Amino acid sequence: MAQLSPDSFAFGGRLRRLDDALDDLSIRLAGLGETETVPVMQAMGRVLAHEGRTPFAIPDFDNSAVDGYAVRFADLAVSGETHLPVSLRVPAGLIGVPRLPSGSAARIFTGAMMPAGADTVFMQEDVRAEGDMVILPPGLKLGSNRRFAGEDFAKGAAVVPAGTRLKPQHLAGLAAAGRALVAVRRRLRVAIFSTGNEIREPAPEAPEPGCQYDANRAMLAGLLAARGMEITDLGILPDDPGIMVRALKDAAKANDAILTSGGVSTGEEDHVKAAIEAAGRLDFWRLAIKPGRPVAMGTLDGTPFLGMPGNPAAVFITFLRFVGPVLDLLAGAKPLRPAPIPVTSGFDYRKKADRREYVRVSLAAGAGISMVAQRFPKDGAALISSLIAADALAELPEDVTTIRAGETIHVLPLAGLLS
């Protein structure tokens, strides 16, 4: 089971900066140790347990990059066309390719082994074939259209690092290295709860007055599935401390992590923080981010717990920037630390110092090569419409207090954060 060491945080009232919290956790969190072997064709989204090295060079022989004619560069005329007889035909997959006789050309196809002696390939579109002769234009450089052995990966090279959450390109690399089976970490089992007496399961008719349908569990299920994690859906917890404590303790016995949404603020009916303190250990509470400041982290019987705010936009942003990376650590994966990209701000904005803010923005082409970020027209951490409309999160650092339209800001595209 994944573990959070007891000395991970000294709890205090101050807000923790996002990067500081993630840096501490990257040192103190121990991920899953269990592994299993799966076919590489079924390894999408899984976390690679051991570094994937290739026992041979990729490719392990020189080959042609195009359909055309392989020649010895020394046989080409210094100026003008070169006329050479075609002495060989080399299709892809031919075993035992003979040596190319001096003063001749080989008809060759993409991926076929280069005949010994041949060092340059003309594309078939650039030559003229007349009977058994090929007429080659001048100007081609030595080694053109030739793939060298090991130009992709040298023998023994690391193809995919351990801890990588496997994407299609990683599967290609492992398969090219001969891996039909790969060792991956066991899927992280994550229990999810929503909390609150006002929360209801979705239904066709409008909810009762004063109540609302639960959007957070569906969203969290999607976010967890995108990370290849196993989901235990435990429904909605009422605002009853005794019921919460029992449910959280039961969830800790069968899962590697527990996520809740709602009930971690300071209101009289926010019971989750108190339930964690009663049932386990609270390691820290409150991050210096907006939206999403009330984030609780602790343990219940050794199982990590993460409590998020109740508003959907706050849940979404908190998951992408903090909870998801923490779960990656627990799963044995390398957390995503995306690099923000510069764009032009299309809006004015003011914020408090000493906290990082994430503003939901859409991106559009601007003057020249710059993209322009436009802020969603309404404020509010409860607005699901802002998430649907957003292309990116504008990341406004702790030391920034004012943004003016036309200034350069940095954004995190949602496509990268969600991949």
Side-chain angles (χ1 to χ4, degrees):
M1 179 175 286
Q3 294 290 327
L4 175 63
S5 62
D7 60 343
S8 57
F9 292 100
F11 172 69
R14 70 183 180 90
L15 274 65
R16 291 194 62 91
R17 286 198 170 197
L18 177 64
D19 291 337
D20 292 343
L22 289 174
D23 288 344
D24 273 346
L25 287 169
S26 68
I27 296 170
R28 303 193 184 278
L29 276 177
L32 292 172
E34 303 101 308
T35 64
E36 57 188 14
T37 301
V38 301
V40 69
M41 296 284 286
Q42 299 173 20
M44 179 66 185
R46 304 299 298 271
V47 178
L48 189 65
H50 309 297
E51 186 176 59
R53 290 186 173 270
T54 176
F56 45 80
I58 303 175
D60 64 349
F61 57 91
D62 289 5
N63 65 87
S64 176
V66 298
D67 291 347
Y69 293 84
V71 301
R72 297 172 183 265
F73 187 79
D75 289 338
L76 300 178
V78 176
S79 62
E81 295 181 334
T82 301
H83 295 240
L84 293 176
V86 180
S87 61
L88 296 176
R89 186 178 187 277
V90 187
L94 179 66
I95 307 299
V97 176
R99 186 176 187 85
L100 178 67
S102 180
S104 69
R107 178 71 167 112
I108 197 166
F109 298 87
T110 304
M113 182 183 292
M114 290 286 287
D119 53 24
T120 303
V121 180
F122 283 81
M123 295 179 64
Q124 64 184 17
E125 299 93 323
D126 296 334
V127 307
R128 302 196 315 275
E130 295 182 358
D132 293 334
M133 300 291 292
V134 63
I135 302 166
L136 312 168
L140 197 65
K141 294 181 180 180
L142 172 65
S144 292
N145 301 315
R146 174 187 181 184
R147 296 179 182 139
F148 291 88
E151 73 173 21
D152 201 356
F153 295 99
K155 181 179 180 180
V159 177
V160 184
T164 299
R165 191 173 299 284
L166 297 172
K167 297 180 180 179
Q169 60 268 38
H170 301 130
L171 303 185
L174 292 168
R179 299 291 189 90
L181 301 172
V182 291
V184 295
R185 301 285 182 185
R186 174 176 64 75
R187 292 185 189 275
L188 195 74
R189 289 191 293 268
V190 183
I192 55 175
F193 289 103
S194 290
T195 68
N197 289 338
E198 78 282 13
I199 304 300
R200 299 287 187 270
E201 294 287 359
E205 64 278 358
E208 306 160 60
C211 298
Q212 56 187 308
Y213 290 136
D214 185 4
N216 287 341
R217 276 179 24 252
M219 180 167 60
L220 286 171
L223 290 165
L224 292 168
R227 277 176 151 81
M229 295 175 181
E230 208 172 284
I231 303 156
T232 306
D233 179 12
L234 296 177
I236 301 167
L237 288 177
D239 291 323
D240 183 307
I243 293 175
M244 280 190 183
V245 168
R246 289 192 296 273
L248 292 170
K249 279 184 164 290
D250 287 345
K253 296 174 185 176
N255 295 279
D256 302 305
I258 302 169
L259 302 187
T260 65
S261 63
V264 290
S265 193
T266 55
E268 293 179 8
E269 294 299 323
D270 291 321
H271 299 295
V272 174
K273 175 176 170 285
I276 294 302
E277 290 175 312
R281 185 184 80 238
L282 186 66
D283 291 292
F284 82 87
W285 173 55
R286 300 196 307 169
L287 284 175
I289 65 171
K290 181 184 177 180
R293 182 178 65 175
V295 177
M297 184 166 184
T299 56
L300 292 134
D301 298 328
T303 299
F305 163 86
L306 290 143
M308 289 173 285
N311 286 320
V315 170
F316 184 77
I317 291 169
T318 302
F319 186 97
L320 292 181
R321 299 304 290 125
F322 179 71
V323 173
V326 170
L327 294 177
D328 285 340
L329 288 168
L330 294 173
K334 295 179 179 177
L336 179 68
R337 293 285 188 101
I341 62 172
V343 301
T344 299
S345 175
F347 59 93
D348 296 331
Y349 192 77
R350 294 184 63 85
K351 63 177 280 293
K352 291 183 179 179
D354 298 321
R355 72 180 181 190
R356 188 176 304 186
E357 288 201 22
Y358 291 95
V359 178
R360 288 142 276 173
V361 298
S362 57
L363 300 177
I369 61 172
S370 177
M371 298 290 287
V372 176
Q374 295 292 351
R375 179 184 171 208
F376 190 74
K378 300 177 185 177
D379 285 321
L383 298 177
I384 297 171
S385 56
S386 70
L387 302 179
I388 293 172
D391 299 314
L393 301 177
E395 187 173 53
L396 308 182
E398 289 84 353
D399 58 349
V400 170
T401 58
T402 303
I403 298 294
R404 298 293 184 197
E407 293 181 350
T408 297
I409 59 173
H410 288 80
V411 303
L412 298 166
L414 291 183
L417 291 171
L418 293 168
S419 63

